[in-house]
Amino acid sequence: MLRDYLSGEEFVGFMEKITGTELVRGYLDLAAQRYKKGNHLLCHDDDVHRGKMTRKIAYIIYLVDEEWSEEDGGALGLFDSDENRYPTKVVSHIVPEFNSIGFFLTGMVSYHTVEEVTVADHKRERWSVTGWFYGPATEDNTTEENALQILPSSVLPQVSPLEHLVDTKDDQAQWAKWINPEYLKAAVRVQIQDTFMEQSSVELRNFLHPKAFQSILNCLSQEFWHSASLKGPAHLRSYLEKESLASDTDISELAGFLRSDSFGRFLASVTSLQLVGASQQVRRFNKGHYTLIHDQALEPAGLDVALSLMPPVPKDDPHAEWDESWGGATHYIADKDELLRISPDSNSLSLVLRDEGTLRFV
C-alpha cells in the first residue's frame, strides 16, 4: 500500500509541485533500513540511471522513536561541492524525527552521508523507509560519459622508480639496520616465499628491528601529525597524510629505505617479484576515516606493501587484540567476495599481490 501511494498521482504530483522536478508515475524504489549503534553510511551521490530514466529525488521516512535527538546520531549529512563537483564538507544535518519524511534532489553533486548512530541504549535503532523517485535525464542528471567528473590524478598512486640507496653488496648492512634479524635468515625467507607463492599474501609481524621500531614510535607524536593534511575528496577517501618529512629524522630515513632499491631487493627475496617502481604515503586513520572504491579511481595492479606502526599494547591489556568492530581493516575483494582482511597491528608488514580484478578499501 505504501509503495502504491508514494508512486501514485496524488503524491508524485505533490512532490513535483514542491520541487519543480518532472517525475514518472507508478515507478519508484523502496526499501526498509535498520541502523544499529555504530552503523553509518559513507559519502556517495545516489546518481543512478536506468535506461532513459534517472533518480531525481531521494526520500527517507523516519520510523525512529519519539525521543530521538541529535545526540543519538544517524543524521543525514548533506555535502557542499567545489567547482570540480567534488564533495567538500557537510553543510546541513537533518536529524531523524519520528514519523517525518526528508527528501533531496539527486544528481552528480548530491553527495550525502548517514552519520554514525551513537545511541547509549543498544536496543534503540534508527529505522526508516527509503527510496527514490525517477524522472527523465537532464543536464544535471545525465548518462553522458563526458559529463562525469574527471578525478584529480593525485587520488591515484604516483609511481616513481626505486631510489638508489646502496649497491647490492651493501644490502645486508642496510637490512640489518631496519629489519628484524629473524627475517634476514635465509631459511625464514624461503618459508615466507613459500607462503606468499601459495597465498599471494603474507604478514610479517614484528618486522622492524626493535631498536628501529622504538625510534620510529618516538617520531610519531601528535606534533608530528599536526601538519598532516586531510585527504579527499570525501566520496573517495578521508584520512590524514604527512606529505613532507623533515630531513635527518629516523622516520624520513625509514621512508627513504622503504622506497629504495635495497628494500626492493629484500622484497624480491621473499616474493620472487622483480620490483622497479613504487609509490609511498605516510597515513594516519582516526575514527571516521576511510577509503572507498570508485570506478574512476582504480589502483593499478601490483604488490601492496603496508607497514603498520601502531604503538604496542601490553598482552594483558583487554584491548591487546584488535577488535574488528573498531573498523580500520584493509579489505580485499573480487566481485562481491571478500578475499582477505588485514587488521591494524603493531610493527607488522603486510604484502599482498593484487591483480586487475582485485580491489581494496579501508
Side-chain angles (χ1 to χ4, degrees), residues 79-203:
F79 283 81
D80 196 5
S81 57
D82 61 19
E83 65 277 7
N84 295 313
R85 297 184 297 201
Y86 306 142
T88 53
K89 61 182 179 179
V90 174
V91 294
S92 179
H93 297 262
I94 299 176
V95 178
E97 184 177 341
F98 171 72
N99 195 24
S100 68
I101 184 170
F103 55 91
F104 57 91
L105 299 178
T106 59
M108 290 183 287
V109 294
S110 59
Y111 296 107
H112 58 285
T113 182
V114 176
E115 298 170 0
E116 183 180 355
V117 174
T118 56
V119 291
D121 183 353
H122 287 262
K123 295 180 180 179
R124 298 179 67 209
E125 298 177 347
R126 180 191 185 274
W127 290 9
S128 63
V129 173
T130 68
W132 298 269
F133 294 93
Y134 283 76
T138 62
E139 289 185 3
D140 294 329
N141 209 321
T142 179
T143 59
E144 294 298 324
E145 196 169 307
N146 59 10
L148 297 175
Q149 304 99 312
I150 299 175
L151 296 172
S153 59
S154 60
V155 305
L156 295 173
Q158 306 300 299
V159 179
S160 302
L162 295 178
E163 298 174 7
H164 178 64
L165 184 62
V166 295
D167 293 333
T168 304
K169 62 182 178 63
D170 298 317
D171 278 341
Q172 288 294 331
Q174 275 296 314
W175 297 355
K177 178 179 180 179
W178 294 108
I179 300 174
N180 187 324
E182 184 69 16
Y183 294 126
L184 301 184
K185 298 176 181 178
V188 172
R189 281 189 280 157
V190 169
Q191 292 176 350
I192 296 171
Q193 187 179 104
D194 289 344
T195 299
F196 183 82
M197 296 294 287
E198 179 180 350
Q199 301 179 5
S200 296
S201 66
V202 68
E203 289 185 68

Side-chain angles (χ1 to χ4, degrees), residues 285-311:
F285 286 79
N286 294 331
K287 182 177 180 179
H289 288 168
Y290 57 86
T291 67
L292 296 173
I293 296 170
H294 194 287
D295 289 341
Q296 292 178 272
L298 298 179
E299 296 178 284
L303 178 67
D304 292 337
V305 182
L307 177 59
S308 181
L309 295 172
M310 286 174 45

Side-chain angles (χ1 to χ4, degrees), residues 178-181 183 203-217 220 254 258 306-313 343-350:
W178 294 108
I179 300 174
N180 187 324
Y183 294 126
E203 289 185 68
L204 307 181
R205 303 188 187 281
N206 301 311
F207 177 73
L208 291 180
H209 191 288
K211 182 179 178 180
F213 181 51
Q214 186 57 54
S215 71
I216 295 303
L217 288 181
L220 299 178
L254 173 62
L258 294 177
L307 177 59
S308 181
L309 295 172
M310 286 174 45
V313 179
S343 295
D345 204 349
S346 175
N347 191 16
S348 177
L349 184 81
S350 64

